[in-house]
């Protein structure tokens, strides 16, 4: 209605009056959009113990990992990515995968997904007690080649095996897409490519697709374009966003994703996990900062922010590093 | 729609419009929107680093450094650079050299250099020193929360904003002084203020103490605000939360705006250089994530 009013006034009335009407209806329309209904609830997927610790310089002892996960379980988070069943040759930080899985206190109602890059990893994961797994695909061919030495389509074919076995075992699978807003090698990534990979993962049987801005270069403009393309292929309630804060854009990107109907957000306690592609830069967005924004918006998360901050303080003390969370810094009484 | 006269109803029918004005379909397609949101095409950045930033830094910076910083910022395309503050040096020793700074800087022709003037004495001194624009606290502090009072009613903010506007301030900058605001409270506050003051006279001055500055600025843009205050390198910690950040970084704001296709006229690379310079002089790391990502930390 407001838009139509504007068209009439610009063409029919005099320029002076037209200006006023444009300003009014513009503001009203913008105001309505800005205040548009956001999801009532948002599910936070906590990736600190896996994505976070995997990308930290210091390797953390098994007991510390277990204690961190237990503290996170107590904070109200409903999904905590516990570890990764990749070969310790490639990722030594996750070598204690089996002990971690067996050592944590599994809180009822909380899911503890683990990464499984291949069938061997999947089998080891299930044997160690995992009841949910995650697989990775990239939206960039070069990234896929450099990371796992095969093309995107080849990587998806490899996952076919896991999907079949997981289906038989009744194990849900979450799909991750990397480089959705830019690639360290290719630069710009076409939204259609992201949509293609997301669609493949979804039709293969992944219950949720997490779209990752791996190098944090995205801004609200590119986020919206990408989500528009992907949501034409995958229902929006099966989508999640995994934003990196390397350029400080994470919360703004998450906000526009929420405005587009996304209600699952990945984040990492204390913003654990730097960016492997930009030395000294930040990586994952901090869970505390995301929760602060969501609660400020009146959105429920089920998370107790102060317990979450306790977990963050604990892991930062152990890693002997400062938190990357602004909320934690602001409330720190040092 | 019931009360609308028939002739207007006729105009409002989309099919009829398209018939009468065939160029409309083309115009509609060309309209620049990002999924229904209309963002301003141009955003004016008000750079507050040399005043708000340096005033809140622990280290006092020599006059020569201040002048060089402002001169570097003048070369970036920033349209407004808050140069200094004519408050008594008893209260704000960091700004004691206000006259020397204002006289020493090289004024770019298309750049404005407002200064703060808290009282008549300050105003007179500022004019005597060559100021051509003053910020008569057309700033509203604590617009989204107060360190002493806590929650602030949006209606209170709009009252203050309205008074300032009626008194003759051409622009009202709404400041989230302790950075506690989130897009929800920003939206409610702006809704209230926009009832009293035209949107094009409003600016937002967001602090990043809780990491909320960019989403808050984004919300303000979605509501039609097109003036944003920021500080190079995120200078100026928060005086109410030890060790926390304060002002949002100009570099990070520019990165977001340019990424969205919004023009600012500012050269991000040159701002990064100015940020490098002042962080070196202050012997501190930058607060800007963009600067950190580009490997420009100490």
């Amino acid at each position: 209605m407001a838009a139509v009013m504007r068209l009439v006034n610009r063409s029919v009335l005099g320029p002076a009056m037209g200006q006023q009407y444009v300003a009014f209806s513009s503001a009203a329309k913008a105001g309505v959009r800005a205040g548009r209904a956001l999801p009532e609830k948002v599910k936070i997927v906590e990736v600190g113990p896996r994505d976070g610790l995997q990308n930290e310089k210091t390797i953390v002892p098994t007991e510390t990992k277990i204690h961190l996960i237990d503290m996170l379980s107590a904070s109200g988070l409903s999904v905590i990515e516990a570890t990764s069943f990749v070969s310790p040759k490639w990722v030594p930080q996750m070598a204690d995968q089996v002990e971690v899985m067996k050592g944590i206190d599994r809180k009822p109602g909380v899911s503890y997904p683990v990464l499984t890059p291949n069938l061997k990893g999947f089998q080891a994961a299930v044997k160690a007690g995992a009841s949910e797994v995650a697989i990775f695909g990239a939206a960039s061919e070069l990234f896929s080649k450099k990371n796992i030495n095969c093309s995107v389509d080849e990587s998806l074919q490899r996952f076919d095996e896991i999907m079949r076995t997981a289906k038989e075992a009744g194990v849900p699978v979450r799909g991750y897409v990397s480089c959705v807003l830019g690639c360290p090698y290719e630069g710009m990534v076409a939204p259609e490519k992201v949509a293609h990979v997301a669609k493949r993962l979804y039709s293969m049987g992944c219950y949720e697709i997490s779209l990752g801005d791996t190098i944090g270069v995205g801004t609200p403009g590119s986020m919206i374009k990408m989500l528009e393309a992907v949501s034409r292929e995958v229902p929006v309630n099966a989508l999640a966003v995994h934003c990196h804060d390397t350029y400080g854009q994470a919360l703004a990107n998450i906000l526009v994703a929420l405005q587009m109907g996304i209600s699952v957000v990945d984040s990492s306690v204390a913003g654990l996990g730097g960016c492997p592609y930009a030395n000294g830069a930040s990586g994952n967005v901090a869970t505390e900062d995301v929760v602060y924004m969501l609660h400020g918006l009146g959105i429920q998360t089920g998370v107790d922010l102060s317990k979450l901050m306790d977990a963050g303080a604990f892991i930062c003390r152990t890693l002997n590093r400062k938190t990357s969370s602004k909320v934690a810094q602001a409330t720190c009484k040092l | 729609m019931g009360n609308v006269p028939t002739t207007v109803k006729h105009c409002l029918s989309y099919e009829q419009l398209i018939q009468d004005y065939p160029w409309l379909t083309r115009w509609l397609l060309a309209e620049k929107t990002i999924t229904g949101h209309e963002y301003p095409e141009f955003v004016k950045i008000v750079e507050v680093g040399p005043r708000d930033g340096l005033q809140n830094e622990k280290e006092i910076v020599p006059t020569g450094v201040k002048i060089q910083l402002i001169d570097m910022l003048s070369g970036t395309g920033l349209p407004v650079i808050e140069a200094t503050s004519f408050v008594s040096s008893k209260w704000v020793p960091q700004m004691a050299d206000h006259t020397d700074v204002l006289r020493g800087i090289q004024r770019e022709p298309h750049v404005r250099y407002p200064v703060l003037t808290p009282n008549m004495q300050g105003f007179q001194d500022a004019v005597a020193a060559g100021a051509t624009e003053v910020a008569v606290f057309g700033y509203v502090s604590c617009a989204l929360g107060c360190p002493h009072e806590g929650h602030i009613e949006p209606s209170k903010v709009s009252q203050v904003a309205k008074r300032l506007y009626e008194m003759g301030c051409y622009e009202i900058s709404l400041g989230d002084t302790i950075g506690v605001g989130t897009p929800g409270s920003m939206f409610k506050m702006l809704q209230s203020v926009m009832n009293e003051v035209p949107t094009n006279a409003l600016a937002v001055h967001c602090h990043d103490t809780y990491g909320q500055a960019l989403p808050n600025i984004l919300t303000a843009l979605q509501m039609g605000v097109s003036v944003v205050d920021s500080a190079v390198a995120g200078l100026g910690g928060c005086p109410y939360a030890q060790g926390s950040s304060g002002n949002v970084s100009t570099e990070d704001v520019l990165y977001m705006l340019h990424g969205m296709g919004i023009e600012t006229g500012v050269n991000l690379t040159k701002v990064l250089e100015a940020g490098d310079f002042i962080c070196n002089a202050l012997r501190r790391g930058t607060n800007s994530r963009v600067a950190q990502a580009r490997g420009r930390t100490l």
Side-chain angles (χ1 to χ4, degrees), chain A residues 6-7 30-31 217 224 228 245 249 259 292-293 326 330, chain B residues 27 31 35 38 180 187 208 211-212 214 222 244 255-256 289:
Chain A
R6 194 165 101 220
L7 294 175
V217 289
I224 289 175
E228 273 177 340
D245 206 34
Q249 308 296 306
Q259 289 174 342
Y292 185 90
M293 180 173 82
K326 291 257 167 100
Chain B
W27 188 79
E31 189 158 351
T35 318
E38 280 167 21
V180 290
F187 174 73
D208 205 34
Q212 307 297 306
L214 286 188
Q222 288 177 351
S244 303
Y255 186 90
M256 181 172 81
R289 292 268 207 230

PDB file of all heavy atoms in Angstrom, chain A residues 6-7 30-31 217 224 228 245 249 259 292-293 326 330, chain B residues 27 31 35 38 180 187 208 211-212 214 222 244 255-256 289:
ATOM      1  N   ARG A   6       3.316   5.976  -3.020  1.00  0.00           N
ATOM      2  CA  ARG A   6       4.489   6.727  -3.440  1.00  0.00           C
ATOM      3  C   ARG A   6       4.476   6.931  -4.939  1.00  0.00           C
ATOM      4  O   ARG A   6       4.767   8.003  -5.431  1.00  0.00           O
ATOM      5  CB  ARG A   6       5.755   6.001  -3.016  1.00  0.00           C
ATOM      6  CG  ARG A   6       6.954   6.907  -3.120  1.00  0.00           C
ATOM      7  CD  ARG A   6       8.091   6.324  -2.378  1.00  0.00           C
ATOM      8  NE  ARG A   6       8.974   5.700  -3.343  1.00  0.00           N
ATOM      9  CZ  ARG A   6       9.581   4.564  -3.146  1.00  0.00           C
ATOM     10  NH1 ARG A   6       9.395   3.907  -2.051  1.00  0.00           N
ATOM     11  NH2 ARG A   6      10.369   4.066  -4.047  1.00  0.00           N
ATOM     12  N   LEU A   7       4.121   5.904  -5.695  1.00  0.00           N
ATOM     13  CA  LEU A   7       4.121   6.001  -7.145  1.00  0.00           C
ATOM     14  C   LEU A   7       3.118   7.053  -7.598  1.00  0.00           C
ATOM     15  O   LEU A   7       3.421   7.898  -8.425  1.00  0.00           O
ATOM     16  CB  LEU A   7       3.768   4.659  -7.773  1.00  0.00           C
ATOM     17  CG  LEU A   7       4.797   3.548  -7.549  1.00  0.00           C
ATOM     18  CD1 LEU A   7       4.280   2.238  -8.111  1.00  0.00           C
ATOM     19  CD2 LEU A   7       6.100   3.925  -8.216  1.00  0.00           C
ATOM     20  N   ALA A  30      10.055   1.414   5.701  1.00  0.00           N
ATOM     21  CA  ALA A  30      11.319   0.945   6.281  1.00  0.00           C
ATOM     22  C   ALA A  30      11.108   0.575   7.730  1.00  0.00           C
ATOM     23  O   ALA A  30      11.598  -0.433   8.205  1.00  0.00           O
ATOM     24  CB  ALA A  30      12.391   2.024   6.142  1.00  0.00           C
ATOM     25  N   GLY A  31      10.337   1.426   8.438  1.00  0.00           N
ATOM     26  CA  GLY A  31      10.111   1.154   9.846  1.00  0.00           C
ATOM     27  C   GLY A  31       9.396  -0.164  10.042  1.00  0.00           C
ATOM     28  O   GLY A  31       9.751  -0.964  10.898  1.00  0.00           O
ATOM     29  N   VAL A 217      33.823 -12.458   5.212  1.00  0.00           N
ATOM     30  CA  VAL A 217      33.814 -11.272   4.346  1.00  0.00           C
ATOM     31  C   VAL A 217      32.413 -10.781   4.015  1.00  0.00           C
ATOM     32  O   VAL A 217      32.251  -9.698   3.452  1.00  0.00           O
ATOM     33  CB  VAL A 217      34.557 -11.528   3.012  1.00  0.00           C
ATOM     34  CG1 VAL A 217      36.045 -11.639   3.250  1.00  0.00           C
ATOM     35  CG2 VAL A 217      34.025 -12.766   2.320  1.00  0.00           C
ATOM     36  N   ILE A 224      21.865 -11.452   2.215  1.00  0.00           N
ATOM     37  CA  ILE A 224      20.485 -11.514   1.741  1.00  0.00           C
ATOM     38  C   ILE A 224      20.417 -12.142   0.357  1.00  0.00           C
ATOM     39  O   ILE A 224      19.572 -13.001   0.089  1.00  0.00           O
ATOM     40  CB  ILE A 224      19.845 -10.122   1.770  1.00  0.00           C
ATOM     41  CG1 ILE A 224      19.609  -9.708   3.228  1.00  0.00           C
ATOM     42  CG2 ILE A 224      18.531 -10.110   1.024  1.00  0.00           C
ATOM     43  CD1 ILE A 224      19.105  -8.307   3.381  1.00  0.00           C
ATOM     44  N   GLU A 228      18.396 -15.557  -0.362  1.00  0.00           N
ATOM     45  CA  GLU A 228      17.293 -15.570  -1.330  1.00  0.00           C
ATOM     46  C   GLU A 228      17.474 -16.741  -2.282  1.00  0.00           C
ATOM     47  O   GLU A 228      16.525 -17.482  -2.562  1.00  0.00           O
ATOM     48  CB  GLU A 228      17.281 -14.268  -2.138  1.00  0.00           C
ATOM     49  CG  GLU A 228      16.509 -13.158  -1.483  1.00  0.00           C
ATOM     50  CD  GLU A 228      16.562 -11.865  -2.266  1.00  0.00           C
ATOM     51  OE1 GLU A 228      17.483 -11.686  -3.099  1.00  0.00           O
ATOM     52  OE2 GLU A 228      15.695 -11.026  -2.043  1.00  0.00           O
ATOM     53  N   ASP A 245      33.322 -13.550  12.363  1.00  0.00           N
ATOM     54  CA  ASP A 245      33.367 -12.132  12.711  1.00  0.00           C
ATOM     55  C   ASP A 245      34.689 -11.480  12.309  1.00  0.00           C
ATOM     56  O   ASP A 245      35.062 -10.430  12.822  1.00  0.00           O
ATOM     57  CB  ASP A 245      33.160 -11.976  14.223  1.00  0.00           C
ATOM     58  CG  ASP A 245      32.587 -10.621  14.576  1.00  0.00           C
ATOM     59  OD1 ASP A 245      31.796 -10.085  13.788  1.00  0.00           O
ATOM     60  OD2 ASP A 245      32.963 -10.073  15.629  1.00  0.00           O
ATOM     61  N   GLN A 249      31.397  -8.278  10.901  1.00  0.00           N
ATOM     62  CA  GLN A 249      30.072  -8.218  10.280  1.00  0.00           C
ATOM     63  C   GLN A 249      29.093  -9.272  10.793  1.00  0.00           C
ATOM     64  O   GLN A 249      27.918  -9.265  10.420  1.00  0.00           O
ATOM     65  CB  GLN A 249      30.208  -8.393   8.754  1.00  0.00           C
ATOM     66  CG  GLN A 249      31.212  -7.461   8.115  1.00  0.00           C
ATOM     67  CD  GLN A 249      30.809  -6.007   8.236  1.00  0.00           C
ATOM     68  OE1 GLN A 249      29.703  -5.624   7.848  1.00  0.00           O
ATOM     69  NE2 GLN A 249      31.680  -5.183   8.813  1.00  0.00           N
ATOM     70  N   GLN A 259      15.764 -11.758   9.925  1.00  0.00           N
ATOM     71  CA  GLN A 259      14.693 -11.037   9.258  1.00  0.00           C
ATOM     72  C   GLN A 259      14.176 -11.805   8.052  1.00  0.00           C
ATOM     73  O   GLN A 259      13.058 -11.581   7.594  1.00  0.00           O
ATOM     74  CB  GLN A 259      15.165  -9.635   8.840  1.00  0.00           C
ATOM     75  CG  GLN A 259      15.357  -8.699  10.031  1.00  0.00           C
ATOM     76  CD  GLN A 259      15.951  -7.360   9.655  1.00  0.00           C
ATOM     77  OE1 GLN A 259      16.538  -7.196   8.582  1.00  0.00           O
ATOM     78  NE2 GLN A 259      15.809  -6.377  10.527  1.00  0.00           N
ATOM     79  N   TYR A 292      23.227 -12.130  23.669  1.00  0.00           N
ATOM     80  CA  TYR A 292      22.896 -10.781  24.141  1.00  0.00           C
ATOM     81  C   TYR A 292      21.959 -10.096  23.157  1.00  0.00           C
ATOM     82  O   TYR A 292      20.961  -9.482  23.533  1.00  0.00           O
ATOM     83  CB  TYR A 292      24.183  -9.964  24.314  1.00  0.00           C
ATOM     84  CG  TYR A 292      23.948  -8.590  24.902  1.00  0.00           C
ATOM     85  CD1 TYR A 292      23.972  -8.389  26.274  1.00  0.00           C
ATOM     86  CD2 TYR A 292      23.686  -7.489  24.079  1.00  0.00           C
ATOM     87  CE1 TYR A 292      23.755  -7.133  26.821  1.00  0.00           C
ATOM     88  CE2 TYR A 292      23.453  -6.238  24.618  1.00  0.00           C
ATOM     89  CZ  TYR A 292      23.498  -6.055  25.994  1.00  0.00           C
ATOM     90  OH  TYR A 292      23.283  -4.824  26.531  1.00  0.00           O
ATOM     91  N   MET A 293      22.283 -10.178  21.866  1.00  0.00           N
ATOM     92  CA  MET A 293      21.454  -9.542  20.848  1.00  0.00           C
ATOM     93  C   MET A 293      20.073 -10.185  20.800  1.00  0.00           C
ATOM     94  O   MET A 293      19.049  -9.493  20.796  1.00  0.00           O
ATOM     95  CB  MET A 293      22.113  -9.624  19.462  1.00  0.00           C
ATOM     96  CG  MET A 293      21.259  -8.961  18.385  1.00  0.00           C
ATOM     97  SD  MET A 293      22.048  -8.842  16.765  1.00  0.00           S
ATOM     98  CE  MET A 293      21.769 -10.461  16.095  1.00  0.00           C
ATOM     99  N   LYS A 326      32.648  -9.429  23.148  1.00  0.00           N
ATOM    100  CA  LYS A 326      32.565  -8.065  23.661  1.00  0.00           C
ATOM    101  C   LYS A 326      31.731  -8.036  24.944  1.00  0.00           C
ATOM    102  O   LYS A 326      32.025  -7.285  25.872  1.00  0.00           O
ATOM    103  CB  LYS A 326      31.918  -7.138  22.627  1.00  0.00           C
ATOM    104  CG  LYS A 326      32.774  -6.875  21.394  1.00  0.00           C
ATOM    105  CD  LYS A 326      33.425  -5.511  21.454  1.00  0.00           C
ATOM    106  CE  LYS A 326      34.506  -5.351  20.423  1.00  0.00           C
ATOM    107  NZ  LYS A 326      34.163  -4.626  19.236  1.00  0.00           N
ATOM    108  N   ALA A 330      32.943  -6.549  28.453  1.00  0.00           N
ATOM    109  CA  ALA A 330      32.241  -5.441  29.094  1.00  0.00           C
ATOM    110  C   ALA A 330      31.872  -5.765  30.525  1.00  0.00           C
ATOM    111  O   ALA A 330      31.860  -4.902  31.385  1.00  0.00           O
ATOM    112  CB  ALA A 330      30.983  -5.083  28.308  1.00  0.00           C
TER     113      ALA A 330
ATOM    114  N   TRP B  27      10.657   0.957 -14.078  1.00  0.00           N
ATOM    115  CA  TRP B  27      11.123   1.698 -12.903  1.00  0.00           C
ATOM    116  C   TRP B  27      11.081   0.827 -11.657  1.00  0.00           C
ATOM    117  O   TRP B  27      11.980   0.821 -10.857  1.00  0.00           O
ATOM    118  CB  TRP B  27      10.236   2.939 -12.738  1.00  0.00           C
ATOM    119  CG  TRP B  27      10.677   3.903 -11.708  1.00  0.00           C
ATOM    120  CD1 TRP B  27      11.657   4.826 -11.817  1.00  0.00           C
ATOM    121  CD2 TRP B  27      10.130   4.042 -10.396  1.00  0.00           C
ATOM    122  NE1 TRP B  27      11.752   5.552 -10.668  1.00  0.00           N
ATOM    123  CE2 TRP B  27      10.832   5.092  -9.777  1.00  0.00           C
ATOM    124  CE3 TRP B  27       9.118   3.399  -9.678  1.00  0.00           C
ATOM    125  CZ2 TRP B  27      10.552   5.519  -8.485  1.00  0.00           C
ATOM    126  CZ3 TRP B  27       8.843   3.826  -8.395  1.00  0.00           C
ATOM    127  CH2 TRP B  27       9.563   4.864  -7.810  1.00  0.00           C
ATOM    128  N   GLU B  31      14.299  -0.408  -9.281  1.00  0.00           N
ATOM    129  CA  GLU B  31      14.383   0.158  -7.948  1.00  0.00           C
ATOM    130  C   GLU B  31      15.361  -0.622  -7.076  1.00  0.00           C
ATOM    131  O   GLU B  31      15.362  -1.834  -7.051  1.00  0.00           O
ATOM    132  CB  GLU B  31      13.008   0.164  -7.291  1.00  0.00           C
ATOM    133  CG  GLU B  31      13.006   0.944  -5.992  1.00  0.00           C
ATOM    134  CD  GLU B  31      11.638   1.415  -5.595  1.00  0.00           C
ATOM    135  OE1 GLU B  31      10.718   1.275  -6.417  1.00  0.00           O
ATOM    136  OE2 GLU B  31      11.500   1.913  -4.488  1.00  0.00           O
ATOM    137  N   THR B  35      15.696  -6.899  -0.719  1.00  0.00           N
ATOM    138  CA  THR B  35      14.572  -7.667  -0.171  1.00  0.00           C
ATOM    139  C   THR B  35      13.608  -6.793   0.620  1.00  0.00           C
ATOM    140  O   THR B  35      13.426  -6.987   1.809  1.00  0.00           O
ATOM    141  CB  THR B  35      15.076  -8.777   0.769  1.00  0.00           C
ATOM    142  OG1 THR B  35      16.203  -9.379   0.178  1.00  0.00           O
ATOM    143  CG2 THR B  35      13.992  -9.832   0.917  1.00  0.00           C
ATOM    144  N   GLU B  38      14.463  -0.652   2.150  1.00  0.00           N
ATOM    145  CA  GLU B  38      15.089   0.389   1.372  1.00  0.00           C
ATOM    146  C   GLU B  38      16.174   0.988   2.230  1.00  0.00           C
ATOM    147  O   GLU B  38      15.913   1.499   3.305  1.00  0.00           O
ATOM    148  CB  GLU B  38      14.055   1.444   0.987  1.00  0.00           C
ATOM    149  CG  GLU B  38      13.239   0.980  -0.209  1.00  0.00           C
ATOM    150  CD  GLU B  38      12.023   1.833  -0.402  1.00  0.00           C
ATOM    151  OE1 GLU B  38      12.015   2.961   0.095  1.00  0.00           O
ATOM    152  OE2 GLU B  38      11.087   1.357  -1.027  1.00  0.00           O
ATOM    153  N   VAL B 180      24.660  -0.598  25.390  1.00  0.00           N
ATOM    154  CA  VAL B 180      23.807  -1.719  25.815  1.00  0.00           C
ATOM    155  C   VAL B 180      22.654  -1.992  24.859  1.00  0.00           C
ATOM    156  O   VAL B 180      21.983  -3.008  24.980  1.00  0.00           O
ATOM    157  CB  VAL B 180      23.216  -1.480  27.225  1.00  0.00           C
ATOM    158  CG1 VAL B 180      24.305  -1.569  28.256  1.00  0.00           C
ATOM    159  CG2 VAL B 180      22.484  -0.154  27.288  1.00  0.00           C
ATOM    160  N   PHE B 187      15.165   0.135  17.502  1.00  0.00           N
ATOM    161  CA  PHE B 187      13.954   0.316  16.713  1.00  0.00           C
ATOM    162  C   PHE B 187      12.910   1.098  17.498  1.00  0.00           C
ATOM    163  O   PHE B 187      12.333   2.071  17.003  1.00  0.00           O
ATOM    164  CB  PHE B 187      13.403  -1.045  16.291  1.00  0.00           C
ATOM    165  CG  PHE B 187      12.077  -0.983  15.594  1.00  0.00           C
ATOM    166  CD1 PHE B 187      11.984  -0.515  14.297  1.00  0.00           C
ATOM    167  CD2 PHE B 187      10.909  -1.381  16.243  1.00  0.00           C
ATOM    168  CE1 PHE B 187      10.767  -0.445  13.643  1.00  0.00           C
ATOM    169  CE2 PHE B 187       9.685  -1.314  15.600  1.00  0.00           C
ATOM    170  CZ  PHE B 187       9.606  -0.847  14.295  1.00  0.00           C
ATOM    171  N   ASP B 208      30.232   0.109  20.769  1.00  0.00           N
ATOM    172  CA  ASP B 208      30.349  -1.320  20.484  1.00  0.00           C
ATOM    173  C   ASP B 208      30.709  -2.121  21.730  1.00  0.00           C
ATOM    174  O   ASP B 208      31.206  -3.238  21.642  1.00  0.00           O
ATOM    175  CB  ASP B 208      31.418  -1.527  19.404  1.00  0.00           C
ATOM    176  CG  ASP B 208      31.192  -2.817  18.643  1.00  0.00           C
ATOM    177  OD1 ASP B 208      30.021  -3.195  18.445  1.00  0.00           O
ATOM    178  OD2 ASP B 208      32.173  -3.489  18.272  1.00  0.00           O
ATOM    179  N   GLY B 211      29.315  -5.325  21.502  1.00  0.00           N
ATOM    180  CA  GLY B 211      29.385  -5.863  20.148  1.00  0.00           C
ATOM    181  C   GLY B 211      28.150  -5.601  19.299  1.00  0.00           C
ATOM    182  O   GLY B 211      27.993  -6.179  18.234  1.00  0.00           O
ATOM    183  N   GLN B 212      27.244  -4.728  19.761  1.00  0.00           N
ATOM    184  CA  GLN B 212      25.950  -4.562  19.086  1.00  0.00           C
ATOM    185  C   GLN B 212      25.918  -3.410  18.077  1.00  0.00           C
ATOM    186  O   GLN B 212      24.893  -3.186  17.427  1.00  0.00           O
ATOM    187  CB  GLN B 212      24.844  -4.316  20.133  1.00  0.00           C
ATOM    188  CG  GLN B 212      24.793  -5.353  21.231  1.00  0.00           C
ATOM    189  CD  GLN B 212      24.472  -6.747  20.702  1.00  0.00           C
ATOM    190  OE1 GLN B 212      23.473  -6.939  20.020  1.00  0.00           O
ATOM    191  NE2 GLN B 212      25.322  -7.711  21.000  1.00  0.00           N
ATOM    192  N   LEU B 214      27.132  -2.611  14.996  1.00  0.00           N
ATOM    193  CA  LEU B 214      26.774  -2.764  13.586  1.00  0.00           C
ATOM    194  C   LEU B 214      25.321  -3.194  13.388  1.00  0.00           C
ATOM    195  O   LEU B 214      24.628  -2.625  12.542  1.00  0.00           O
ATOM    196  CB  LEU B 214      27.750  -3.678  12.848  1.00  0.00           C
ATOM    197  CG  LEU B 214      29.129  -3.060  12.535  1.00  0.00           C
ATOM    198  CD1 LEU B 214      29.929  -3.974  11.629  1.00  0.00           C
ATOM    199  CD2 LEU B 214      29.004  -1.703  11.898  1.00  0.00           C
ATOM    200  N   GLN B 222      17.755   0.792   8.191  1.00  0.00           N
ATOM    201  CA  GLN B 222      16.488   0.229   7.713  1.00  0.00           C
ATOM    202  C   GLN B 222      15.327   1.177   8.016  1.00  0.00           C
ATOM    203  O   GLN B 222      14.288   1.147   7.363  1.00  0.00           O
ATOM    204  CB  GLN B 222      16.235  -1.143   8.337  1.00  0.00           C
ATOM    205  CG  GLN B 222      17.157  -2.227   7.780  1.00  0.00           C
ATOM    206  CD  GLN B 222      16.961  -3.585   8.443  1.00  0.00           C
ATOM    207  OE1 GLN B 222      16.253  -3.716   9.430  1.00  0.00           O
ATOM    208  NE2 GLN B 222      17.607  -4.603   7.900  1.00  0.00           N
ATOM    209  N   SER B 244      36.784  -2.145  28.226  1.00  0.00           N
ATOM    210  CA  SER B 244      35.872  -2.464  27.122  1.00  0.00           C
ATOM    211  C   SER B 244      36.046  -1.484  25.984  1.00  0.00           C
ATOM    212  O   SER B 244      36.622  -0.424  26.144  1.00  0.00           O
ATOM    213  CB  SER B 244      34.425  -2.342  27.575  1.00  0.00           C
ATOM    214  OG  SER B 244      34.210  -3.165  28.644  1.00  0.00           O
ATOM    215  N   TYR B 255      33.145  -0.879   5.875  1.00  0.00           N
ATOM    216  CA  TYR B 255      33.147  -2.205   5.255  1.00  0.00           C
ATOM    217  C   TYR B 255      31.718  -2.687   5.046  1.00  0.00           C
ATOM    218  O   TYR B 255      31.350  -3.191   3.983  1.00  0.00           O
ATOM    219  CB  TYR B 255      33.932  -3.190   6.134  1.00  0.00           C
ATOM    220  CG  TYR B 255      34.111  -4.540   5.490  1.00  0.00           C
ATOM    221  CD1 TYR B 255      35.215  -4.815   4.695  1.00  0.00           C
ATOM    222  CD2 TYR B 255      33.153  -5.551   5.647  1.00  0.00           C
ATOM    223  CE1 TYR B 255      35.375  -6.048   4.082  1.00  0.00           C
ATOM    224  CE2 TYR B 255      33.312  -6.783   5.036  1.00  0.00           C
ATOM    225  CZ  TYR B 255      34.426  -7.025   4.259  1.00  0.00           C
ATOM    226  OH  TYR B 255      34.579  -8.240   3.655  1.00  0.00           O
ATOM    227  N   MET B 256      30.885  -2.518   6.068  1.00  0.00           N
ATOM    228  CA  MET B 256      29.494  -2.960   5.960  1.00  0.00           C
ATOM    229  C   MET B 256      28.743  -2.149   4.897  1.00  0.00           C
ATOM    230  O   MET B 256      28.089  -2.706   4.016  1.00  0.00           O
ATOM    231  CB  MET B 256      28.778  -2.816   7.308  1.00  0.00           C
ATOM    232  CG  MET B 256      27.317  -3.288   7.240  1.00  0.00           C
ATOM    233  SD  MET B 256      26.496  -3.356   8.831  1.00  0.00           S
ATOM    234  CE  MET B 256      26.033  -1.642   9.084  1.00  0.00           C
ATOM    235  N   ARG B 289      37.899  -4.596  13.557  1.00  0.00           N
ATOM    236  CA  ARG B 289      38.077  -5.979  13.093  1.00  0.00           C
ATOM    237  C   ARG B 289      38.647  -5.991  11.677  1.00  0.00           C
ATOM    238  O   ARG B 289      39.452  -6.845  11.333  1.00  0.00           O
ATOM    239  CB  ARG B 289      36.732  -6.702  13.077  1.00  0.00           C
ATOM    240  CG  ARG B 289      36.148  -6.950  14.458  1.00  0.00           C
ATOM    241  CD  ARG B 289      36.574  -8.292  14.983  1.00  0.00           C
ATOM    242  NE  ARG B 289      35.601  -8.832  15.917  1.00  0.00           N
ATOM    243  CZ  ARG B 289      35.905  -9.311  17.117  1.00  0.00           C
ATOM    244  NH1 ARG B 289      37.136  -9.336  17.529  1.00  0.00           N
ATOM    245  NH2 ARG B 289      34.958  -9.782  17.898  1.00  0.00           N
TER     246      ARG B 289
END
